[in-house]
Amino acid sequence: MQNRDIIVIGGSAGATAPLRDILGRLPANLPAAIFIVLHLPAHGIGILSTVAAAAAKLPVRQAESGMVIENGHIYLAAPDHHLLIHDGHLMLGRGPLENLVRPAIDPLFRSAALHYGPRVIGVVLSGLLSDGAAGLSAIKRCGGIAVVQDPNDAISDEMPLRAMESTTVDLCVPAARLGDVLSDLARERAAASLPIPPEIALEVKIAAGERVGSDTLVDIANPAPLTCPGCGGVLSELSMGRPLRFRCQVGHAYTADALAKEQESRVDEAFRVALRIIEERAELVHRMAEDGRRSGRPAVAQMYEARAAEYREYADMIRRVMLQSLAPKPPTRKEQ
């Protein structure tokens, strides 16, 4: 039996500091390889150098396709590519965005679960929304270990909380202890292998860039009356338990909260477009009224002024809706 030699880590907002804590405490003789996806711009902020400086005892490399996996090495996701691991080497996938990002955390976690099963340790750090929750659930379904940063210790607690809601987490640990915990877990023997759910393999293929269509999704999802924000296609609700997720025929994937967040921005954009059109309409008919007065047609001028006033009322109504309807409502006492 092998030890748990695959550690996959995902984080977003607020994850840089705990990641530094983790990597700074890992020993030079760590009997595992580490793979990291952060939802941070890879260009211009020196994330590679930041990670390398934190992991002073371990070499850090930006992932490249075909790169051989070595214990005691840290592999950082490359920009605009899903980081996937496959039978001893790395793959960079150009599949569709997941939760509006590429690289996303879930594809890395699924690929690790698919190929390494109980040898995998999955770690979800601070972040917004719920990327990582489905991937951590996949790791658990394949016999791996699920670890999250303590939400009370996280700058943004949504990702750890969503992960804990989606699967049975083995350990919930403050960032200051995570490095030591991972070092200990990596030296333990992995459990026996479990059967791999076929949908996990399918989603890994999608992240790698393989074709998706209605015939592909029919076995794992049901069409929903929802539109994909990425391409305008029909979304299907995936049937693999929590978290609630959707995919379109192109392959764009969303957890429900990420989809709702994107829809909110689209609603706001639609309101602003409608407001612009109505205000332009009010201005146009106002000018038509002035033209009517100048040309000695008072009845026409009066009609157009009435329309302009009506359009301005519509514009004011949209402004009020924009200010009120998109603002989160405070929870009721029953909801608290």
Side-chain angles (χ1 to χ4, degrees):
M1 295 293 290
Q2 292 180 283
N3 62 300
R4 299 190 180 106
D5 57 348
I6 300 293
I7 300 174
V8 290
I9 300 175
S12 182
T16 306
L19 184 61
R20 283 198 295 261
D21 288 340
I22 293 169
L23 300 183
R25 300 189 68 87
L26 295 177
N29 62 346
L30 183 74
I34 300 174
F35 308 85
I36 300 171
V37 170
L38 292 181
H39 292 173
L40 296 171
H43 294 298
I45 64 168
I47 186 63
L48 181 61
S49 59
T50 298
V51 173
K57 299 176 185 177
L58 299 172
V60 178
R61 305 178 69 181
Q62 183 166 287
E64 299 176 7
S65 277
M67 188 176 282
V68 175
I69 296 171
E70 299 180 63
N71 281 351
H73 284 62
I74 298 171
Y75 302 94
L76 187 64
D80 200 30
H81 291 78
H82 292 309
L83 174 57
L84 309 172
I85 55 180
H86 175 79
D87 289 343
H89 66 273
L90 304 184
M91 293 177 58
L92 297 186
R94 284 285 294 168
L97 304 184
E98 291 208 26
N99 289 322
L100 311 172
V101 295
R102 185 177 53 217
I105 298 166
D106 286 331
L108 168 63
F109 282 20
R110 288 190 205 105
S111 70
L114 174 64
H115 294 289
Y116 293 92
R119 293 161 57 185
V120 179
I121 304 168
V123 185
V124 173
L125 301 179
S126 171
L128 299 171
L129 302 178
S130 54
D131 192 19
L136 200 65
S137 176
I139 289 173
K140 283 290 291 183
R141 293 173 69 193
C142 296
I145 296 292
V147 181
V148 299
Q149 181 183 358
D150 187 339
N152 295 319
D153 179 60
I155 293 175
S156 300
D157 63 4
E158 289 183 49
M159 277 179 40
L161 287 173
R162 299 295 87 77
M164 294 172 72
E165 292 170 358
S166 300
T167 192
T168 302
V169 170
D170 297 287
L171 293 167
C172 177
V173 185
R177 291 182 47 221
L178 273 171
D180 294 333
V181 167
L182 294 178
S183 181
D184 291 340
L185 289 174
R187 288 175 167 78
E188 295 178 358
R189 291 294 181 184
S193 296
L194 297 178
I196 303 297
E199 63 268 18
I200 293 178
L202 173 58
E203 292 202 272
V204 171
K205 290 180 180 179
I206 293 171
E210 294 196 16
R211 177 186 174 276
V212 183
S214 56
D215 55 334
T216 305
L217 291 177
V218 68
D219 292 332
I220 65 170
N222 297 307
L226 298 169
T227 301
C228 174
C231 66
V234 175
L235 286 171
S236 293
E237 180 181 335
L238 294 163
S239 53
M240 285 92 76
R242 305 187 73 180
L244 178 61
R245 293 192 299 129
F246 301 87
R247 274 195 188 271
C248 71
Q249 293 179 338
V250 172
H252 297 117
Y254 307 88
T255 53
D257 55 356
L259 180 61
K261 187 72 174 178
E262 185 66 6
Q263 285 181 336
E264 180 179 304
S265 67
R266 295 299 177 92
V267 169
D268 183 61
E269 179 183 352
F271 274 136
R272 294 183 188 280
V273 171
L275 180 60
R276 174 182 60 79
I277 293 173
I278 291 175
E279 287 185 330
E280 288 179 357
R281 182 68 172 165
E283 177 62 22
L284 175 61
V285 295
H286 172 69
R287 291 177 183 234
M288 293 169 73
E290 289 182 338
D291 181 67
R293 278 192 294 270
R294 286 194 299 267
S295 61
R297 296 178 295 165
V300 171
Q302 184 177 7
M303 178 188 69
Y304 282 132
E305 279 296 358
R307 288 187 181 179
E310 183 179 355
Y311 287 132
R312 291 190 185 100
E313 288 181 6
Y314 292 155
D316 289 340
M317 183 185 304
I318 291 176
R319 286 193 187 90
R320 289 194 297 271
V321 171
M322 289 174 63
L323 291 173
Q324 296 174 11
S325 69
L326 296 179
K329 294 180 174 61
T332 64
R333 288 192 175 183
K334 290 183 179 180
E335 295 172 328
Q336 290 177 332

